[in-house]
Amino acid sequence: MKKILLLGGSAQQLVAIKAAKELGYYTIVCDYLPDNPGQYEADKFYATSTTDIEAVYEIAKEEQINGILAYASDPAALPAAIVAEKLGLPTNPAKSVEILGLKYPWRKFLHDNGFACPKFYPFNPQTPIDEIKNNIKNFTFPFVVKPTDSSGSKGVTRLDDWNGLEKAISQADEYSRNKVLLVEEFIQRGYPYVIGGDIFVWNGKIVLYGEMECLRDMVRSPLIPIGEKKPAAINEKQKRFVYNELQRVITALNIRFGEMNIEILLDKDDNVHFLELGPRAGGNMIPIQLSDAFGIDLVKANVQAAIGVKPDFVDKPVKALPGCYMHYVLHSYETGTFGNVEIDESIRKFVYREVIYKKPGDKIEVFDGAGKALGIIFLHFDKSIEMEDFCKNHNTLIKVNLQ
């Protein structure tokens, strides 16, 4: 029986553990959090941090694994690649995974390889404010302050003038592990939405483009995705630009296989600006949404690829199914105690799956990043106008009630 080591046992990662077991693999899970649900699903569990590279390596070597997967986890993606390289297991180059996972090397890669890229400046939290201001004096407002090693828009602040710079640095520092922060010019959009979603790569070629539009609350949390919808409304020319630039990155970094999360902006000239190209499957259950939209199983595909097995869908014609698919991230802008989720009867027929992370009585925190999500609602609409109507009125159609 083949063995797979899965780095992370959170609620969102359970699907990967279950998929591996369904495929007949022996599952081993590492996670340092004592309340992770994955430990009860896996065949074997280690209470070990997924970012402790040496510890993960020793476990992988002792267990004689056949593959390692950091499903939907940014922090674990690089440790997985490093360990796989050491053991000669299927992996993308660790150096490429590192570039994709850290915003400063990523921006430098884009700049050096002729991709569209805003002005940027890396610094550490102890850098004097006057020095930071001097180094970005030629930047044009607005600009963004962010950690270089975080995902899900955690610790990201947009500034329209110098007011709030110190607070923005403090917030970015709070979510940074490597203590390297970044200031970059805000990209002025031509296309109004962030293009999100995932792609899937096999043998160095993108075999599935799962681009979507990101839904954001432009009043309360403009930088944090609260949903993604498919199909995206980009035209064929824009789509061709996006596809070409994505494949150019994959080729330049010698990415061999796997699902990757995308966040892209198009400027007024339709230049493709990469916000992120995460070296792992997207969070907020994006692989499940795309599986629904294409009639395939991307979770199993991730597991198979990590073992070195060609995913089932790769040699088959894959076409988007009829209608519009989207997910909505449950969240609260108040701290308190979770009560329930209230879904308006007018949209109940569009909801086909509910995944709630909290139970009544659980404590919840203010939504300031993907890690504070309370659950995911999956919706399918027959017509795009129905989906757009929901997106305009989501705050009244789906409510999180506190006790």
Side-chain angles (χ1 to χ4, degrees), residues 26 184 239 299 328 377:
Y26 185 85
E184 64 182 25
K239 191 181 292 187
V299 182
Y328 180 73
I377 303 294

Side-chain angles (χ1 to χ4, degrees), residues 4 36 44 92 129 140 152 193 229 236 292 366 390-391 394:
I4 184 167
N36 76 87
K44 194 167 186 179
N92 290 310
I129 291 292
T140 301
Y193 300 101
K229 49 185 179 173
E236 288 303 312
D292 295 338
V366 173
F390 167 77
C391 292
H394 61 84

Side-chain angles (χ1 to χ4, degrees), residues 109-175:
F109 164 83
L110 293 173
H111 178 270
D112 293 349
N113 287 273
F115 292 91
C117 185
K119 292 178 183 176
F120 61 93
Y121 167 66
F123 64 99
N124 66 62
Q126 284 71 48
T127 304
I129 291 292
D130 288 344
E131 183 178 331
I132 296 171
K133 287 184 175 180
N134 184 60
N135 278 286
I136 60 175
K137 62 185 178 184
N138 294 323
F139 284 24
T140 301
F141 283 107
F143 54 70
V144 175
V145 181
K146 59 175 71 172
T148 61
D149 59 344
S150 183
S151 61
S153 297
K154 294 185 288 289
V156 180
T157 303
R158 168 180 162 159
L159 296 176
D160 293 302
D161 52 42
W162 292 115
N163 293 323
L165 178 59
E166 291 189 45
K167 183 179 179 182
I169 292 170
S170 177
Q171 186 171 351
D173 182 30
E174 183 181 346
Y175 287 96

Side-chain angles (χ1 to χ4, degrees), residues 57 68 78-97 256:
Y57 171 72
I68 182 169
L78 182 56
I82 291 172
V83 170
E85 278 192 345
K86 282 186 176 182
L87 295 175
L89 299 174
T91 183
N92 290 310
K95 186 61 181 175
S96 296
V97 173
R256 300 160 188 153

